[in-house]
Amino acid sequence: MKTILITGGAGFIGSHVVRLFVNKYPDYHIVNLDKLTYAGNLANLKDVEGKPNYEFVKFDIVDAAAIQKLFLEKQFDGVIHLAAESHVDRSISNPSEFVFTNVIGTVNLLNATRTQWKDQTDNKLFYHISTDEVYGSLSNEGMFTEDTAYDPHSPYSASKASSDHFVRAYHDTFGLPTLVSNCSNNYGSFQFPEKLIPLFINNIRNKRPLPVYGKGENIRDWLWVEDHARAIDVIFHQGKPGETYNIGGHNEWKNIDLIRLMCEIMDRKLGHSSGTSAQLITYVKDRAGHDLRYAIDSTKLQKDLGWIPSLQFEEGLEKTIDWYLHNEEWMNNVTSGDYQKYYEKQYQKR
Ligand code: NAD
Ligand code: TYD
């Protein structure tokens, strides 16, 4: 039986990865390590918590000594590292937290992995989950490939870029079997409502303004979270150490077009007349250093490992909106308490 560590498994993408691995690989023992920050929520994993091959451990990856001890105790065969501070706006308000978790936390995990595996690295893998935001911003032309030079602009993307460099450096310097994947924007169930899609669904539900940064002309490349989890599964099992894989759905949307589509779908689902939700659109002060466009070229992953996205965007967005509308209790729980303070601080000054 293999013991696999998944960090950040109580978060949005991590919970989908944990669910996929626990259900698909009964012969793996899956250890979900998470600090349970505001973004970590064990309610995301209610359906797997009783499974015999699943275990949750509450740790902070910034605590090097505790992480070293855990590795020696558990003897992990593989690591899939998702734990991170993940929201650009929070990184603008509080950059240091991003350095602690994303950079130092990642280095702590790399050190603990080295100590545990020593030179016994056959069939072992440290897999680091990263973002397309490390490549910076595109104009209207071109796409990010695995060879695009890093050019991060936000404290979030700078911290992720730094962690990616450390992961590759440990491969090149110490021979640690590591690999990195860089994915485009994810959407789907269990995403914390600070990110565009769940935030706007929740605001439409509550008839609150929809704060569009700048002119709404920024472009993002959206991928359904369960397709990202499937890609992580394929890369973990078939990817080559030392390699990088870009993950994306060739699905670019200008923010304002995506928001208008969401408004139309929500009007239909809520029984409102067409145009009702769009009246909530409010243009607000732009995000500082706002990247114009992201677009991922995932040809390498598709050709070398045979992964393709399973869902068309319109279908995925419908499913996602349905999920949030049918899981009001989840939304009400994560938006009680500190969320209101965050929301006021983030949006009142715009
Ligand atoms: P998330 O914010 O929903 O979840 C992050 C998880 O990490 C939470 O459960 C949180 O409790 C945990 N965590 C944070 N700090 C920790 C610490 N110090 N120790 C232990 N656990 C800690 O994030 P997400 O959107 O699920 O993103 C997961 C990973 O995927 C991140 O590394 C992110 O950079 C990357 N990524 C995200 C996207 C996206 O669109 N969301 C796209 C590409 C890559
Ligand atoms: P977000 O979901 O924060 O992801 P990222 O910044 O990592 O791409 O934002 C997606 C896009 O939506 C981005 O261009 C910023 C914009 N946006 C808004 O216009 N208003 C908002 O309230 C938020 C959270 C984002």
Side-chain angles (χ1 to χ4, degrees):
M1 188 167 208
K2 283 189 167 183
T3 303
I4 310 295
L5 174 68
I6 300 180
T7 72
F12 165 49
I13 302 170
S15 62
H16 286 279
V17 177
V18 167
R19 178 174 300 103
L20 177 67
F21 274 65
V22 167
N23 289 329
K24 189 169 172 187
Y25 301 107
D27 53 335
Y28 288 179
H29 180 64
I30 302 298
V31 179
N32 168 15
L33 178 155
D34 202 292
K35 181 183 172 184
L36 301 181
T37 66
Y38 77 91
N41 185 355
L42 288 177
N44 298 358
L45 285 166
K46 272 212 171 96
D47 52 330
V48 299
E49 68 188 8
K51 300 262 165 113
N53 62 335
Y54 171 72
E55 179 184 357
F56 171 72
V57 292
K58 187 170 186 283
F59 277 84
D60 182 348
I61 58 171
V62 178
D63 184 345
I67 294 295
Q68 284 278 355
K69 200 162 159 252
L70 178 77
F71 270 70
L72 293 174
E73 185 190 313
K74 298 280 183 195
Q75 297 291 315
F76 297 118
D77 297 292
V79 177
I80 306 178
H81 173 37
L82 297 106
E85 287 292 336
S86 68
H87 189 39
V88 173
D89 290 328
R90 288 187 194 249
S91 82
I92 295 168
S93 317
N94 184 10
S96 301
E97 202 57 49
F98 286 68
V99 179
F100 295 135
T101 288
N102 298 1
V103 185
I104 297 171
T106 299
V107 173
N108 288 342
L109 288 168
L110 288 165
N111 286 337
T113 307
R114 262 191 87 204
T115 309
Q116 190 218 300
W117 291 351
K118 298 192 181 73
D119 296 325
Q120 309 295 308
T121 55
D122 283 357
N123 298 317
K124 304 264 200 298
L125 185 67
F126 183 105
Y127 178 7
H128 177 63
I129 307 301
S130 192
T131 166
D132 60 356
E133 304 193 22
V134 296
Y135 296 122
S137 182
L138 293 164
S139 56
N140 290 328
E141 303 271 299
M143 298 179 113
F144 300 130
T145 72
E146 288 79 2
D147 297 324
T148 302
Y150 275 28
D151 182 23
H153 298 291
S154 73
Y156 164 63
S157 54
S159 68
K160 290 297 290 187
S162 172
S163 63
D164 294 8
H165 290 320
F166 273 104
V167 171
R168 295 195 181 101
Y170 272 58
H171 174 269
D172 297 347
T173 308
F174 304 118
L176 198 71
T178 70
L179 65 77
V180 179
S181 63
N182 298 82
C183 189
S184 60
N185 284 56
N186 284 213
Y187 71 96
S189 53
F190 299 111
Q191 186 169 31
F192 194 78
E194 61 187 354
K195 307 275 168 61
L196 180 76
I197 291 180
L199 178 80
F200 278 34
I201 294 172
N202 191 41
N203 282 15
I204 292 172
R205 196 176 66 112
N206 292 304
K207 301 188 178 61
R208 285 175 100 159
L210 304 176
V212 180
Y213 296 166
K215 294 182 180 153
E217 285 177 349
N218 304 68
I219 294 171
R220 296 292 182 264
D221 186 351
W222 294 93
L223 181 69
W224 190 42
V225 63
E226 294 188 34
D227 280 331
H228 188 190
R230 283 176 46 247
I232 290 172
D233 178 18
V234 169
I235 294 168
F236 182 70
H237 289 98
Q238 298 171 43
K240 285 205 196 92
E243 293 287 324
T244 298
Y245 298 91
N246 278 356
I247 311 172
H250 290 277
N251 178 44
E252 292 179 52
W253 282 81
K254 197 180 268 192
N255 287 346
I256 192 64
D257 295 339
L258 166 56
I259 291 160
R260 289 195 187 283
L261 175 62
M262 284 172 62
C263 287
E264 274 171 35
I265 299 175
M266 292 285 287
D267 280 345
R268 180 161 37 82
K269 297 212 181 273
L270 296 171
H272 295 157
S273 54
S274 174
T276 308
S277 301
Q279 286 171 11
L280 297 169
I281 291 174
T282 311
Y283 291 91
V284 299
K285 188 169 162 241
D286 207 353
R287 174 187 278 172
H290 197 173
D291 287 334
L292 177 66
R293 173 172 168 253
Y294 303 142
I296 271 274
D297 181 347
S298 58
T299 308
K300 175 177 171 182
L301 175 61
Q302 303 200 12
K303 273 198 171 155
D304 291 4
L305 306 186
W307 171 91
I308 47 163
S310 71
L311 267 195
Q312 291 295 315
F313 183 62
E314 281 80 352
E315 192 188 344
L317 191 60
E318 290 257 357
K319 269 171 102 90
T320 300
I321 290 174
D322 281 339
W323 187 86
Y324 287 100
L325 293 179
H326 290 129
N327 287 276
E328 282 197 354
E329 195 186 335
W330 181 93
M331 184 62 95
N332 291 339
N333 284 340
V334 299
T335 53
S336 60
D338 282 352
Y339 180 81
Q340 299 305 333
K341 279 188 237 147
Y342 162 78
Y343 196 90
E344 273 154 36
K345 196 167 156 241
Q346 178 61 32
Y347 291 98
Q348 79 183 0
K349 58 181 188 256
R350 287 183 181 273

